[in-house]
């Protein structure tokens, strides 16, 4: 088995095709195809389903990808270790967050200290965050809870209650609080399944003997915000993420005890000592202590 063959397989898998892998590795498509073909022939295994212009992983390919993700992540860690100063001057940091709101002050401080580092931030719910970290598709995640999985390190960013919110002209906009029983009679707008806010809300309502059913499900916090602002129903979010929006009015939920969102910065334990990850966690910790 040759390194170049594994590398060719890995990039075809993560890029979704031979052409894109060739562009990423600055090679020709025939060269990439030849390396993958030799790997498959040498070990008598089919790694990709090749159907017209679409390339998908076989079951064996999926298993090998889990190995090569670790392999090339370790390679990146070795590179960072051998060029520590360069990693903090011109590296890449990938973040996936259930809400970028909690990162704004940390990002500003990090950028000020390490202006040469390229940062990418994408949105996702709890399931997306955890999966991205496990698959080495992100370096750092932000969750609406402290993870219970033992292979994660975390830093608490903030804690805030879940609230309801409605459009400014909604009949409920003048309420001082709202109960689960009252909510059950109203049109509700929920985030997609996998959202920790939704999960905590539904669990607390069931504990109170109430089943909350949405009339609209929307993917992402911003989509819920826009739908609620149109007057279509009642939405839910943590107080820290409500922000400022003149179109919306927030309403406390009753009872509140079991519905606190603990926003946490997380990473895989094995990635915690990576230079960029460690630097970001250090700044997050200093920011939390300052507040």
């Amino acid at each position: 088995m040759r390194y170049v063959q594994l590398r060719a397989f890995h990039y075809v898998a993560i890029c979704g095709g031979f052409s894109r892998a060739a562009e990423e590795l600055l090679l020709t498509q025939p060269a990439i195809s030849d390396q993958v073909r030799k790997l498959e022939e040498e070990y008598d295994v089919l790694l990709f389903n090749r159907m017209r212009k679409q390339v998908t992983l076989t079951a064996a390919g999926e298993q090998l990808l889990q190995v090569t993700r670790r392999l090339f992540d370790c390679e990146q860690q070795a590179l960072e270790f051998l060029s520590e100063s360069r990693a903090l001057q011109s590296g890449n940091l990938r973040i996936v967050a259930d809400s970028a709101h909690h990162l704004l002050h940390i990002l500003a401080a990090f950028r000020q200290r390490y202006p040469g580092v390229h940062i990418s931030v994408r949105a996702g719910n709890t399931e997306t965050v955890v999966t991205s970290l496990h698959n080495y598709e992100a370096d750092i995640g932000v969750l609406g809870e402290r993870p219970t999985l033992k292979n994660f390190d975390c830093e608490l960013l903030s804690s805030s209650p879940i609230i309801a919110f409605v459009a400014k002209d909604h009949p409920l906009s003048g309420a001082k609080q709202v109960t689960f029983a009252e909510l059950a009679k109203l049109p509700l707008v929920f985030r997609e399944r996998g959202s920790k806010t939704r999960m905590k809300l539904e669990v607390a309502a069931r504990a109170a003997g109430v089943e909350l059913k949405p009339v609209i499900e929307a993917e992402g916090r911003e989509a819920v915000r826009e739908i609620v602002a149109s007057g279509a129903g009642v939405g839910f979010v943590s107080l820290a993420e409500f922000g400022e929006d003149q179109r919306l009015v927030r309403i406390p939920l009753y009872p509140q005890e079991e519905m606190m969102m603990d926003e946490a910065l997380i990473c895989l334990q094995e990635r915690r000592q990576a230079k960029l990850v460690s630097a970001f966690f250090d700044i997050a910790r200093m920011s939390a202590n300052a507040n």
Side-chain angles (χ1 to χ4, degrees):
M1 181 189 303
R2 295 183 179 181
Y3 170 85
V4 291
Q5 294 173 346
L6 281 179
R7 186 182 64 169
F9 159 78
H10 180 75
Y11 276 87
V12 173
I14 64 174
C15 294
F18 289 86
S19 296
R20 288 192 287 273
E23 292 173 3
E24 186 73 20
L25 293 173
L26 302 178
L27 296 171
T28 65
Q29 182 176 336
I32 295 292
S33 299
D34 186 54
Q35 294 294 349
V36 173
R37 178 183 57 78
K38 288 179 178 177
L39 182 63
E40 290 179 317
E41 289 180 353
E42 184 174 352
Y43 293 95
D44 192 23
V45 62
L46 183 65
L47 299 172
F48 294 103
N49 294 310
R50 300 163 174 84
M51 300 172 60
R52 297 181 182 178
K53 294 184 179 181
Q54 187 176 10
V55 177
T56 59
L57 285 165
T58 64
E62 290 281 4
Q63 291 180 331
L64 182 59
L65 179 59
Q66 296 306 310
V67 176
T68 59
R69 283 190 190 280
R70 295 192 294 272
L71 171 66
F72 289 103
D73 186 66
C74 288
E75 180 183 64
Q76 181 61 33
Q77 289 184 56
L79 179 61
E80 290 176 1
F81 173 77
L82 293 171
S83 56
E84 176 178 348
S85 60
R86 186 166 56 184
L88 293 174
Q89 292 174 6
S90 59
N92 293 287
L93 185 65
R94 303 163 300 167
I95 303 173
V96 57
D98 65 354
S99 174
H101 171 84
H102 303 278
L103 290 173
L104 298 182
H105 60 296
I106 305 173
L107 287 172
F110 186 87
R111 284 286 303 149
Q112 185 175 10
R113 182 169 297 186
Y114 307 108
V117 174
H118 176 265
I119 304 171
S120 63
V121 181
R122 61 186 177 91
N125 59 33
T126 298
E127 183 178 341
T128 305
V129 172
V130 172
T131 300
S132 296
L133 292 174
H134 275 147
N135 289 342
Y136 300 93
E137 296 169 348
D139 305 302
I140 292 173
V142 178
L143 285 182
E145 63 173 342
R146 300 189 194 192
T148 56
L149 299 174
K150 294 181 179 180
N151 59 337
F152 283 112
D153 274 356
C154 76
E155 181 72 30
L156 183 64
L157 298 177
S158 65
S159 294
S160 62
I162 297 174
I163 60 169
F165 66 97
V166 296
K168 194 171 183 179
D169 57 356
H170 191 280
L172 199 63
S173 62
K176 293 184 178 180
Q177 64 181 28
V178 61
T179 66
F180 292 130
E182 291 169 332
L183 287 171
K185 301 174 184 178
L186 298 171
L188 307 178
V189 183
F190 278 7
R191 281 191 62 181
E192 73 284 358
R193 293 193 179 279
S195 161
K196 183 56 62 174
T197 304
R198 172 176 179 169
M199 189 182 306
K200 286 198 172 186
L201 182 70
E202 290 177 326
V203 168
R206 282 196 293 270
V210 178
E211 191 75 21
L212 297 180
K213 295 183 179 180
V215 296
I216 300 176
E217 292 186 12
E219 186 167 349
R221 189 172 291 103
E222 290 307 312
V224 171
R225 180 181 292 270
E226 293 304 315
I227 292 169
V228 172
S230 74
V234 183
F236 305 90
V237 71
S238 72
L239 179 59
E241 295 166 354
F242 180 70
E244 295 293 333
D245 192 323
Q246 298 300 317
R247 303 171 300 167
L248 303 172
V249 176
R250 68 190 191 196
I251 307 168
L253 295 174
Y254 180 83
Q256 185 65 71
E257 291 80 6
E258 301 301 323
M259 291 185 296
M260 296 293 293
M261 298 296 291
D262 292 331
E263 288 291 337
L265 196 68
I266 71 169
C267 71
L268 289 173
Q269 288 180 345
E270 65 192 68
R271 297 286 292 131
R272 181 61 179 81
Q273 298 307 314
K275 300 305 178 185
L276 290 176
V277 174
S278 181
F280 198 87
F281 266 71
D282 289 344
I283 290 178
R285 184 178 300 106
M286 287 188 290
S287 178
N289 291 338
N291 294 330

